[in-house]
Amino acid sequence: PPRVVCSSTCYRTETDTGKEPWGLYRVHQFTKVEMFGVTAAEGGGESAALLAEFLGLQKEIFSELGLHYRVLDMPSQELGLPAYRKFDIEAWMPGRGKYGEVR
């Protein structure tokens, strides 16, 4: 299947949620890198294999960087229209004393 990596500038629309509204972690503009793949819609096996490959690559990068991380299997209400499944990876942030999404 074709594999594509892209970088995009993203913006948060909210101005203050009352939860970490400022600082390094809570920014309103950020750049993210995403991996995309296009697979046949036949049985879903190809899609599952490609998603596992992408997740494995991300875990390898985090491990090689020496970061402590966890993988979150996102619920269906958190998915965008083109996604059938999504994982988020959060890294341990000692300054915050908790895990946080790495963008």
Side-chain angles (χ1 to χ4, degrees):
R3 295 157 181 82
V4 179
V5 175
C6 66
S7 171
S8 63
T9 301
C10 302
Y11 303 92
R12 283 197 176 92
T13 56
E14 74 272 13
T15 57
D16 184 7
T17 61
K19 187 176 181 183
E20 299 180 281
W22 60 273
L24 182 62
Y25 186 73
R26 194 69 185 168
V27 295
H28 293 280
Q29 178 181 338
F30 54 94
T31 301
K32 68 179 176 179
V33 175
E34 293 193 79
M35 295 183 283
F36 293 93
V38 178
T39 60
E42 295 165 4
E46 192 176 67
S47 294
L50 184 59
L51 182 60
E53 178 184 330
F54 284 165
L55 182 59
L57 288 169
Q58 292 177 49
K59 290 165 78 173
E60 181 180 336
I61 290 168
F62 275 69
S63 294
E64 288 186 12
L65 289 171
L67 298 173
H68 298 280
Y69 65 91
R70 66 182 180 186
V71 178
L72 304 175
D73 190 351
M74 304 306 288
S76 58
Q77 62 266 28
E78 295 286 327
L79 303 180
L81 290 176
Y84 83 98
R85 191 166 182 198
K86 178 178 123 173
F87 294 98
D88 275 353
I89 298 182
E90 295 182 335
W92 178 252
M93 299 182 173
R96 299 176 69 219
K98 60 183 178 177
Y99 285 90
E101 188 176 1
V102 179
R103 300 202 182 258

